[in-house]
Amino acid sequence: MNINRQVLTLDEFTIQEMRAYPKATGELSSLLRDIGLAAKRVNVEVNKAGLVDILGDAGSVNVQGEDVKKMDIYANNQFIGVLKHGISCAGLGSEELEEIVVFNDVVSNNSKYVVIIDPLDGSSNIDVNVTIGTIFGVYRRVTKVGTPCTIEDFLQTGKNQVAAGYIIYGSSTMMVYATHRGVNGFTLDPSIGEFCLSHPNIQCPEKGKIYSVNYSNFFKFEIGIQKYIEACQTKTNEHNGPYTQRYVGSMVADVHRNLIKGGIFMYPGVLDKPFGKLRLLYECNPFAFIMEIAGGKATDGKKSILDIKPEKLHQRTPFFIGSKLMMEELESYLNSKYD
Ligand code: P6P
């Protein structure tokens, strides 16, 4: 093994990136390092969740009306803690909180960024040891620096993100984040407690052989989606089908796999839930930003996810994301007429 292999840590990488922008203030680098720190703390608890009394329902119900697992609360508090006491964030919007958290102290009010986050997505999988994740997006605030941030800073279109990423707590723990300079993945090395650059310049293959959807909803989907899924299962699709179906039921796991290997992930709306289940601000927008920087696509079935102007913090959207050619193939089925 080459012991001199230069493995960049997350901190070294963000500082190196900062050097590419001589005018950079270092606030974004500092914010990403803060997120990495909170992720390491969450990772410790996720990895031993079965051993300590942190499993199971916390007894409360979150704004989504879902039973809140104790880990949700722990993760939420970790991210709020590091961002509030850092120097780069004016406030935070979270899946776990009905309203935004305005840090409202002198340093925070002088910060130029806000963060939107799903602190622990897929938390219903915690008790059965299935991969879960954190999803985040970073925006430059639109309100005046020096004043407390407001909801207006969070209701921006996804294309305004300056960075977005996720942490996947799986067979290993990885932090993947994108800026307009590219998508890079960092694997946690427990022996030194650092995220180390393991997946530089991630590009999503323009086609793959994996489709991800909760098939139990098949008969509720619009006809174009049904026809596309049938094409995935047969040789009729353009890219040497049949494809294989992979669906973990944890968005971070499913989208990360498809980002690396190529594939398509679908969470459509249905008649009684036309906007589907997934949240625009802290689930779909971050992944859409990452995927588009990596060469893939993400839509609501009609337009780019990143062009949707949010009206509410917790609004949902139908969500289709993945390899460019597979997304274009899906769009051809959605735009076709069926008798
Ligand atoms: P379903 C997890 O609860 C989650 O929000 C996403 O991580 C995941 O993709 C989706 O819901 C799974 O939903 O309805 O297929 O169980």
Side-chain angles (χ1 to χ4, degrees):
M1 180 178 84
N2 175 0
I3 56 173
N4 296 317
R5 185 165 64 94
Q6 172 61 23
V7 178
L8 284 179
T9 66
L10 175 65
D11 292 8
E12 289 169 323
F13 182 85
T14 55
I15 290 167
Q16 181 178 280
E17 287 292 282
M18 202 174 92
R19 288 166 64 94
Y21 289 105
K23 292 184 181 160
T25 62
E27 271 194 78
L28 183 59
S29 300
S30 170
L31 191 152
L32 291 166
R33 291 201 299 274
D34 290 345
I35 290 174
L37 173 59
K40 286 190 276 191
R41 290 176 175 160
V42 171
N43 180 63
V44 167
E45 297 308 319
V46 165
N47 282 349
K48 62 182 183 182
L51 297 174
V52 297
D53 180 25
I54 199 163
L55 283 178
D57 298 352
S60 64
V61 171
N62 68 13
V63 293
Q64 329 302 340
E66 298 161 345
D67 290 343
V68 177
K69 304 284 184 190
K70 290 176 185 172
M71 279 298 293
D72 285 350
I73 295 175
Y74 175 82
N76 197 49
N77 293 342
Q78 290 306 311
F79 286 99
I80 291 176
V82 295
L83 291 170
K84 180 174 175 58
H85 298 105
I87 59 167
S88 314
C89 185
L92 173 134
S94 169
E95 187 205 27
E96 295 301 329
L97 301 171
E98 193 148 3
E99 307 298 337
I100 62 171
V101 178
V102 180
F103 294 153
N104 196 16
D105 59 72
V106 173
V107 172
S108 299
N109 288 348
N110 279 308
S111 301
K112 61 187 176 190
Y113 298 117
V114 293
V115 171
I116 186 80
I117 192 165
D118 184 349
L120 209 56
D121 180 72
S123 52
S124 57
N125 292 307
I126 294 174
D127 296 1
V128 291
N129 214 16
V130 168
T131 295
I132 51 181
T134 298
I135 313 166
F136 66 90
V138 182
Y139 291 87
R140 190 171 284 102
R141 50 186 297 189
V142 294
T143 52
K144 187 170 181 301
V145 173
T147 64
C149 65
T150 73
I151 186 66
E152 195 187 344
D153 294 309
F154 296 87
L155 298 181
Q156 301 185 51
T157 56
K159 62 173 175 263
N160 286 359
Q161 292 173 104
V162 294
Y166 58 90
I167 296 93
I168 179 167
Y169 309 99
S171 50
S172 64
T173 296
M174 272 189 76
M175 177 168 166
V176 177
Y177 81 87
T179 64
H180 286 289
R181 284 169 57 85
V183 184
N184 291 281
F186 302 79
T187 300
L188 183 63
D189 179 344
S191 68
I192 59 171
E194 293 287 358
F195 282 106
C196 298
L197 183 63
S198 54
H199 296 67
N201 190 28
I202 295 173
Q203 290 292 303
C204 183
E206 64 174 11
K207 64 181 180 181
K209 295 184 74 76
I210 296 170
Y211 70 100
S212 306
V213 67
N214 184 334
Y215 199 75
S216 68
N217 298 320
F218 179 83
F219 293 104
K220 298 181 188 173
F221 294 153
E222 66 176 87
I223 186 69
I225 297 170
Q226 290 184 4
K227 293 292 186 186
Y228 176 67
I229 291 172
E230 286 170 351
C232 289
Q233 297 168 326
T234 68
K235 288 188 175 302
T236 58
N237 66 74
E238 296 166 27
H239 307 296
N240 317 314
Y243 301 152
T244 186
Q245 150 106 356
R246 287 287 181 273
Y247 191 75
V248 177
S250 183
M251 180 184 195
V252 175
D254 284 315
V255 181
H256 174 74
R257 179 200 53 241
N258 293 359
L259 171 69
I260 302 295
K261 292 192 165 189
I264 189 167
F265 172 92
M266 298 173 276
Y267 207 107
V270 292
L271 212 53
D272 59 331
K273 292 181 182 172
F275 294 102
K277 173 182 183 182
L278 301 179
R279 309 292 176 166
L280 173 62
L281 268 67
Y282 41 77
E283 290 177 326
C284 301
N285 266 336
F287 271 117
F289 182 83
I290 294 162
M291 186 58 80
E292 300 230 348
I293 298 282
K297 289 187 77 174
T299 74
D300 65 355
K302 296 183 174 66
K303 67 178 186 181
S304 169
I305 287 287
L306 298 178
D307 288 336
I308 299 174
K309 176 65 176 77
E311 303 299 330
K312 291 185 180 160
L313 198 61
H314 301 288
Q315 74 184 63
R316 302 173 195 266
T317 177
F319 191 49
F320 305 87
I321 185 169
S323 297
K324 181 174 176 292
L325 294 182
M326 296 176 84
M327 284 291 292
E328 288 170 359
E329 187 178 20
L330 166 66
E331 284 153 17
S332 69
Y333 282 87
L334 293 179
N335 297 331
S336 298
K337 297 281 183 255
Y338 303 93
D339 51 20

